[in-house]
């Protein structure tokens, strides 16, 4: 299944990118994320709540281009996923 979502935010590109790369802060704003711990520059361990169940998985950044995109894969007991987020300036500053 492919999920595509677009979100426009009223902040400079660098601010959005920097906020998105602070994985350990996700539990403060992302629904269902209970905790994230960063192992090294490319791996993170996630604890999430999906409905009534709790799940954990390890995510690995496959590609990271500052202010442009982050591509990752994840592996957990319930399977694997792939994802990407890209950053685009809507209007010039």
């Amino acid at each position: 299944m492919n999920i595509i979502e677009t979100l426009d935010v009223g902040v400079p590109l660098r601010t959005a990118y920097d906020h998105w790369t602070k994985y350990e802060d996700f539990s403060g704003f992302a629904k269902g994320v209970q905790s994230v711990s960063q192992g090294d520059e490319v791996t993170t361990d996630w604890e999430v709540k999906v409905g009534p169940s709790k799940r954990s998985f390890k995510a690995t950044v496959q590609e990271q281009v500052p202010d442009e995109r982050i591509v990752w894969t994840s592996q957990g007991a319930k399977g694997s996923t792939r994802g990407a987020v890209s950053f685009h300036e809507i209007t010039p500053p």
Side-chain angles (χ1 to χ4, degrees), residues 53-68:
S53 65
K54 292 184 180 181
R55 297 183 184 163
S56 61
F57 60 89
K58 181 178 288 292
T60 304
V61 173
Q62 302 296 322
E63 178 184 11
Q64 187 166 351
V65 180
D67 297 337
E68 287 187 32

Side-chain angles (χ1 to χ4, degrees), residues 15-68:
T15 301
Y17 176 83
D18 285 349
H19 187 71
W20 221 92
T21 58
K22 294 178 183 167
Y23 306 114
E24 293 174 329
D25 292 345
F26 269 51
S27 63
F29 67 88
K31 183 178 179 182
V33 176
Q34 295 190 312
S35 69
V36 181
S37 59
Q38 189 150 4
D40 57 34
E41 290 183 9
V42 296
T43 59
T44 48
D45 293 300
W46 296 68
E47 297 287 333
V48 299
K49 187 170 184 197
V50 180
S53 65
K54 292 184 180 181
R55 297 183 184 163
S56 61
F57 60 89
K58 181 178 288 292
T60 304
V61 173
Q62 302 296 322
E63 178 184 11
Q64 187 166 351
V65 180
D67 297 337
E68 287 187 32

